[in-house]
Amino acid sequence: MNQKIELLFTLDEGYLRPLKVALLSIHANNPKQAFRIWLVHERISQESLVSLQAFSEHLGFEFREMKVDGSNWENAPTVARYPKEMYFRLLAGEILPEEITKVLYLDPDILVINSLNELWNIDLTNHLLAAATHIGLLDLTTPLNKVRLDLDHEYYNSGIMLLNLAQAREKIKWEDISQVLQKHANYLLLPDQDILNYLYGKYALTIPEEKWNYDARMYTKYLAKSLNKHDIHWVLRNTAILHFCGKPKPWSKKHDNRFTALYLNYQQRTDIIEESIRKKL
């Protein structure tokens, strides 16, 4: 049997519907793989948790929720699109049980369209985490982020991260994060992602974004970078995680790109399953 994959999500109530869509896509494209879902939150209602647990178990997933005290983050920079819960993933090593030594963190605004096994089985012995960079066709943002945060390494996207929790428990300390928040809060554009890169990016292993963290806005960029090799057929065969970065989100009527219909199909299937579960509860 395959080893159970541990998946981590940290979010608020507003992202529960996208989370269910993501979970359905994971199930559909990893049908023989066992998963355990870890939901870390501060104030999701009991009714919503019961609904999410029922949905997860319908898919055959083990479900665990962990409520945390978010008071440490009260003064941390947040915006509507990046709530306080985004910081919880940084302290996954402290929050999750000691026996969990590795976890795959996923943002909820994703579709998984191929197997996650290869990503899960990456050797992280000498690294704190594995993550992708989002490099533009002319790569203008990476140099700016390096200067802004005084980095001597790549700038990693924190939306998909394979975390070595054994190393996280040694290296990631609230005191260090708190110090960065106090000194540099005004310079943090993507707050938790900036902190991750500033403090811990030097411990990261780079994984290919085209496969593991495909920015769904950037089809034309990927196609051009690959000299027309990474067309839609290549994506559907080789990309594992489509990440709907930025705005508008694919559940919004304003979203209309090459991957919108695919997302809406999974959303429609999710709603059908939800209605079936509600009738049984």
Side-chain angles (χ1 to χ4, degrees):
M1 291 181 63
N2 290 329
Q3 181 187 10
K4 183 181 293 181
I5 294 178
E6 310 281 358
L7 296 181
L8 172 64
F9 297 91
T10 66
L11 43 83
D12 61 14
E13 196 136 1
Y15 271 91
L16 287 178
R17 190 185 186 202
L19 172 57
K20 291 175 180 176
V21 175
L23 292 178
L24 177 60
S25 73
I26 292 166
H27 169 73
N29 294 290
N30 295 261
K32 297 181 180 180
Q33 176 62 54
F35 290 93
R36 177 158 49 186
I37 310 302
W38 295 92
L39 174 67
V40 176
H41 69 100
E42 184 182 24
R43 55 171 67 95
I44 294 176
S45 71
Q46 188 60 33
E47 180 182 3
S48 294
L49 291 172
V50 169
S51 172
L52 180 57
Q53 179 164 358
F55 187 87
S56 300
E57 291 177 352
H58 175 86
L59 299 178
F61 296 164
E62 189 177 344
F63 177 79
R64 296 286 183 273
E65 59 94 8
M66 302 192 74
K67 188 173 182 178
V68 299
D69 178 6
S71 59
N72 283 340
W73 308 93
E74 285 300 332
N75 297 318
T78 60
V79 295
R81 190 156 58 98
Y82 301 104
K84 188 194 322 180
E85 284 77 5
M86 67 186 171
Y87 290 104
F88 296 165
R89 56 187 149 178
L90 295 177
L91 293 176
E94 291 186 14
I95 295 170
L96 297 180
E98 283 285 332
E99 62 268 21
I100 308 300
T101 59
K102 181 169 66 170
V103 72
L104 177 57
Y105 169 81
L106 300 172
D107 273 354
D109 56 345
I110 62 164
L111 286 179
V112 172
I113 60 173
N114 278 300
S115 173
L116 293 173
N117 278 283
E118 184 183 339
L119 177 58
W120 177 252
N121 289 315
I122 287 175
D123 184 1
L124 278 185
T125 303
N126 299 315
H127 296 88
L128 169 63
L129 63 105
T133 62
H134 279 161
I135 298 175
L137 187 60
L138 299 177
D139 195 12
L140 299 176
T141 57
T142 298
L144 289 174
N145 283 324
K146 285 185 174 183
V147 171
R148 180 170 62 88
L149 297 173
D150 191 24
L151 305 179
D152 59 0
H153 53 76
E154 299 302 315
Y155 182 83
Y156 295 97
N157 180 275
S158 61
I160 284 87
M161 297 186 292
L162 183 64
L163 293 165
N164 180 340
L165 295 182
Q167 284 208 22
R169 291 175 182 120
E170 293 179 4
K171 291 184 170 70
I172 300 180
K173 305 298 181 184
W174 164 247
E175 293 77 13
D176 298 330
I177 296 170
S178 179
Q179 190 174 52
V180 173
L181 287 170
Q182 290 174 18
K183 290 185 176 181
H184 305 294
N186 293 333
Y187 299 97
L188 303 178
L189 301 180
L190 300 171
D192 78 306
Q193 185 167 281
D194 283 353
I195 292 171
L196 175 86
N197 279 277
Y198 184 74
L199 291 174
Y200 310 113
K202 59 188 175 184
Y203 305 117
L205 173 68
T206 303
I207 54 177
E209 61 173 307
E210 294 89 345
K211 188 164 187 176
W212 302 117
N213 195 341
Y214 187 106
D215 187 335
R217 302 170 295 182
M218 301 298 178
Y219 173 79
T220 303
K221 179 202 78 171
Y222 291 121
L223 189 64
K225 280 180 61 181
S226 67
L227 301 179
N228 292 329
K229 292 180 181 178
H230 294 177
D231 60 12
I232 194 67
H233 304 279
W234 184 95
V235 172
L236 292 177
R237 286 194 307 268
N238 295 281
T239 295
I241 303 174
L242 291 175
H243 192 180
F244 292 88
C245 305
K247 281 190 173 183
K249 293 300 185 187
W251 52 88
S252 164
K253 290 184 178 180
K254 294 181 180 180
H255 193 277
D256 186 11
N257 74 17
R258 195 170 298 263
F259 300 104
T260 306
L262 180 62
Y263 188 91
L264 293 177
N265 177 257
Y266 276 101
Q267 182 173 265
Q268 185 179 51
R269 291 162 62 186
T270 299
D271 292 343
I272 292 171
I273 293 172
E274 282 236 89
E275 179 60 29
S276 173
I277 293 172
R278 273 195 293 269
K279 289 179 179 178
K280 293 177 182 177
L281 291 178

